[in-house]
């Protein structure tokens, strides 16, 4: 690794030399350079420890989809997760009002309706989510409102509404330098407000995920506060490790996989929303 004596930016010439020669890193300044080298050493040691352990099990193997590209919204992303045996909230894709009402009756009140459209990442931002729906008329009205708010719908997802618990974020993103990187943190709207996440470069096992969860500033929420049920950290870490292993199994075509929220209620762990982006 090339480390300069002073803290200056790497020149365009230096970047070209790095690209042509394959040097893993060019750092500006001794302090930054040694910190980076130390991080690389720790990461390498951790990787060796993880690779020596049994991989996180997946109940069912799922082949990466051929030719997948762009953004897979919830109805396709969640179906892929469920096919691998990962815990996902039940849902039905309804293409008309009557089908939505019938699905809601099968799930029982209350239910959630969500817009299902290719490339639609944040449904609530465009009025594509309705919560706490009870009778058939509420479901019909919500269906009409979503259709009016979101053009080019593939349909509307109907799901049972979950209450209580703690919402987490689980994201796997392909970093250009480090490869697939896992982020875990407080989910829902809190991830944007608090930005409380812990990062790990894959592969990881359940033990490493559990350690990452304890690093969160909001980790006390998982222990149960003001009479709330504490989260089963072993169950949470096991599911997150399986999500990470599943992301690795999808191959080089995966750009990112996000579950937000992952609802944790005691030992019950369930993905309520998912998004997959292909390269």
């Amino acid at each position: 690794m090339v480390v300069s004596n002073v803290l200056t930016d790497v020149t365009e010439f230096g970047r070209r030399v790095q690209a042509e020669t394959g040097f893993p890193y060019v750092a500006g300044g001794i302090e930054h350079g040694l910190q980076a080298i130390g991080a690389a050493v720790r990461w390498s040691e951790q990787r060796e420890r993880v690779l020596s352990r049994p991989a996180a099990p997946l109940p069912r193997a799922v082949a990466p989809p051929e030719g997948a590209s762009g953004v897979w919204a919830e109805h396709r992303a969640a179906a892929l997760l469920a096919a691998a045996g990962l815990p996902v909230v039940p849902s039905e894709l309804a293409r008309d009002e009557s089908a939505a009402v019938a699905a809601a009756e099968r799930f029982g009140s209350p239910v959630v309706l969500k817009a299902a459209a290719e490339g639609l990442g944040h449904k609530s931002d465009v009025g594509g989510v309705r919560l706490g729906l009870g009778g058939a008329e509420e479901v019909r009205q919500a269906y009409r409102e979503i259709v009016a708010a979101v053009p080019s719908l593939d349909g509307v997802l109907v799901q049972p509404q979950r209450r209580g618990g703690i919402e987490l974020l689980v994201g796997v993103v392909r970093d250009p330098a480090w490869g697939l990187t896992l982020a875990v943190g407080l989910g829902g709207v809190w991830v944007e407000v608090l930005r409380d996440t812990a990062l790990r470069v894959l592969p990881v096992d359940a033990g490493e995920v559990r350690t990452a969860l304890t690093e969160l500033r909001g980790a006390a929420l998982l222990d149960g506060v003001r009479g709330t049920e504490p989260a089963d950290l072993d169950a949470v870490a096991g599911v997150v490790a399986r999500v990470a292993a599943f992301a690795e199994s999808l191959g080089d075509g995966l750009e990112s996989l996000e579950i937000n929220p992952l609802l944790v209620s005691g030992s019950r762990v369930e993905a309520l929303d998912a998004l997959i982006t292909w390269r």
Side-chain angles (χ1 to χ4, degrees):
M1 299 183 185
V2 177
V3 180
S4 65
N5 292 337
V6 294
L7 179 54
T8 57
D9 191 20
V10 181
T11 65
E12 287 302 317
F13 172 76
R15 296 180 192 279
R16 180 168 62 82
V17 170
Q18 179 188 20
E20 292 176 353
T21 59
F23 276 117
Y25 195 75
V26 177
I30 292 175
E31 181 179 1
H32 285 196
L34 291 181
Q35 286 179 346
I37 292 171
V41 170
R42 289 191 297 275
W43 176 81
S44 299
E45 292 173 345
Q46 176 63 24
R47 179 180 173 85
E48 289 301 317
R49 285 196 296 270
V50 171
L51 289 177
S52 67
R53 302 167 184 159
L58 281 175
R60 290 185 292 275
V62 176
E66 291 187 10
S69 64
V71 176
W72 275 21
E74 179 181 2
H75 61 295
R76 297 180 72 185
L80 192 64
L81 292 170
L86 294 165
V88 179
V89 64
S91 65
E92 290 190 29
L93 182 63
R95 301 188 185 276
D96 56 50
E97 293 178 23
S98 298
V101 170
E105 290 175 347
R106 284 190 288 271
F107 288 131
S109 300
V111 296
V112 178
L113 262 61
K114 301 177 182 178
E118 287 305 322
L120 180 60
H122 299 284
K123 299 177 284 296
S124 57
D125 292 348
V126 295
V129 178
R130 296 292 185 275
L131 304 174
L133 303 175
E137 189 52 41
E138 287 188 19
V139 173
R140 290 184 184 276
Q141 181 61 31
Y143 187 97
R144 296 178 193 133
E145 292 172 355
I146 291 176
V147 169
V150 184
S152 304
L153 277 179
D154 295 324
V156 172
L157 276 180
V158 184
Q159 299 173 343
Q161 181 161 332
R162 302 303 196 210
R163 299 185 183 278
I166 302 167
E167 294 185 347
L168 297 179
L169 161 80
V170 179
V172 177
V173 177
R174 186 176 301 279
D175 182 87
W178 294 98
L180 292 179
T181 304
L182 170 71
V184 292
L186 296 181
V189 298
W190 296 114
V191 67
E192 300 175 3
V193 176
L194 300 179
R195 301 185 183 279
D196 185 13
T197 57
L199 302 177
R200 292 294 188 276
V201 176
L202 300 190
V204 294
D205 63 0
E208 183 66 17
V209 173
R210 178 163 180 153
T211 300
L213 291 170
T214 63
E215 295 173 1
L216 299 175
R217 296 194 301 275
L221 293 173
L222 296 168
D223 297 330
V225 293
R226 294 185 178 273
T228 60
E229 185 180 11
D232 183 339
L233 290 183
D234 288 333
V236 179
V239 169
V240 174
R242 290 165 59 201
V243 170
F246 175 63
E248 288 187 286
S249 75
L250 293 176
D252 294 338
L254 179 72
E255 183 66 29
S256 65
L257 185 159
E258 178 182 318
I259 297 175
N260 185 21
L262 181 75
L263 184 66
V264 180
S265 181
S267 60
R268 189 183 76 187
V269 184
E270 192 175 40
L272 301 190
D273 203 342
L275 193 70
I276 295 177
T277 303
W278 304 98
R279 302 177 77 179

